[in-house]
Amino acid sequence: MEDGKRTGVRLNPEPEATPVREWAYGWLERKSIGEGTRRNYEGFVRNHLVPHLGRKTLVGLRRSDIERFAAAVYNRGQGMAAATINDRLVLVSAMLEAAVVDSRIPCNPAKGVRIGRSRLRPVDADEIPSLDEVDLLARCIAPQYRLTVYLQAAAGLRVSEALALSAECRRSGSVRVRWQVSSRARSRDCRATFVPLKARVEGEYRDIPVAPFLDKEIDAHLSQWAPVPVDFTGPSGEHRQLSVFFAPRDRGKGVMPTASTYGYHFRKGCVAAGLVGSRGRPKYTPRILRDFFASTALAHGIPIHEVSRWLGHRSIKVTVDTYGHLVPRAWSRCREILQNAMRPGPQCAPAPGHVACGAGCGG
């Protein structure tokens, strides 16, 4: 109490009555944030923060509790990605800083808590499906989702981007991707059915070249399922409409399919195609189709900075760390360049009066 008098700290007389769970949900309700950000924050609080720390009181929270929480969520690399956890720890710190400002606690126990960021795990070339497997999956997945297989494998789209493909995306020889399906699109009260691309803001887009066969696949899809207009409200509050290829139809419940609901059809397609592991579980996940796209493009000489842009990576470093080793031609090209630079020309006999150096310098 005397220390509080000297430092000018005035605490709530009954702070111990406020559990972390109650404070976290109340703080989120008061925050003015975008729909996508709110969805991510709510999921983190509900699935991770509350189960680990929800029962603790604000004043009973210690820095060691935050550190153990971060370690548990990371789980030695088996849990959430390090970068994602550090981003969420910023959220926890901001939440507890608000409690400091509100005189609930004297200091912020989460301030500065981080875990070491690990490098991205490079894609294992042996785990990437073959072209025959990609085609087999396209034949075995539910017919209305056949096109999504090729949008991922031949254009590098994320699942949520493929599901948001619309008539407005098509260009001559390319597609222009602006939106992805919100993970909350299944909720009937969701107004933002479509949200900006990952790590992008409203108005940003990327153009991706489309192979002629993929154009034919799109035409074949549209010959069976015409685009359906879907109204939604963008992050800026502006009313928008897209003529979506994978809009809800008579088989659905009036809401857009999401990445999670698509996962069911993908797993079912893998099982039907016989693409299963030793325990009968699906051998692949949807993400592997983007890996197929990247590895195929790089193996055939497409510059990695172009592949990075088409994949929608915010930084080329992500592409290099993940796919940089999948450029086999670089090995032979490097050998040839260094041979020509350091030992140019064919080996030949030394010219008259020249003493051979024995290093194979070409005379």
Side-chain angles (χ1 to χ4, degrees), residues 84-136:
T84 303
I85 295 174
N86 286 337
D87 178 70
R88 297 302 183 264
L89 286 173
V90 173
L91 157 69
V92 175
S93 182
M95 185 183 300
L96 295 177
E97 190 63 33
V100 174
V101 174
D102 204 38
S103 299
R104 298 301 184 100
I105 53 177
C107 61
N108 182 353
K111 190 174 184 178
V113 176
R114 298 290 184 275
I115 63 173
R117 295 187 60 176
S118 58
R119 288 174 57 85
L120 291 171
R121 184 178 74 86
V123 169
D124 188 340
D126 293 336
E127 295 179 357
I128 297 176
S130 65
L131 175 58
D132 288 341
E133 289 179 318
V134 172
D135 287 335
L136 180 60

Side-chain angles (χ1 to χ4, degrees), residues 282-349:
K283 185 179 178 181
Y284 300 118
T285 62
R287 189 229 163 86
I288 205 69
L289 296 177
R290 271 169 54 89
D291 295 340
F292 176 89
F293 167 80
S295 62
T296 302
L298 292 172
H300 289 81
I302 303 298
I304 196 166
H305 68 275
E306 295 283 3
V307 176
S308 179
R309 182 165 63 246
W310 297 336
L311 286 171
H313 289 162
R314 194 60 167 172
S315 168
I316 192 174
K317 184 179 183 300
V318 175
T319 318
V320 172
D321 289 347
T322 309
Y323 303 108
H325 61 293
L326 300 178
V327 192
R329 290 190 176 186
W331 290 50
S332 58
R333 189 162 62 246
C334 178
R335 287 193 291 266
E336 181 180 349
I337 289 173
L338 289 176
Q339 174 66 28
N340 292 335
M342 302 180 71
R343 302 291 185 269
Q347 302 292 327
C348 60

Side-chain angles (χ1 to χ4, degrees), residues 233-247:
T233 303
S236 63
E238 182 178 352
H239 174 77
R240 297 179 178 276
Q241 184 183 84
L242 292 178
S243 298
V244 188
F245 293 176
F246 301 98

Side-chain angles (χ1 to χ4, degrees), residues 3 6 11 20 48 52 58 71 83 91 94-95 109-110 122 131 155 241 250 277 286 304 330 361:
D3 183 65
R6 287 193 298 272
L11 297 179
V20 172
H48 300 286
H52 283 85
L58 286 176
L91 157 69
M95 185 183 300
L131 175 58
Q241 184 183 84
D250 55 345
I304 196 166
C361 63

Side-chain angles (χ1 to χ4, degrees), residues 1 12 27 29 41 86 122 169 171 183 188 199 206 247 249 252 281 287 319 357:
M1 291 176 64
N12 188 315
W27 182 82
E29 289 180 3
Y41 285 0
N86 286 337
C169 295
R171 300 289 189 277
S183 63
R188 294 185 177 275
R206 71 179 191 273
R249 303 176 191 278
R281 296 178 180 176
R287 189 229 163 86
T319 318
C357 66

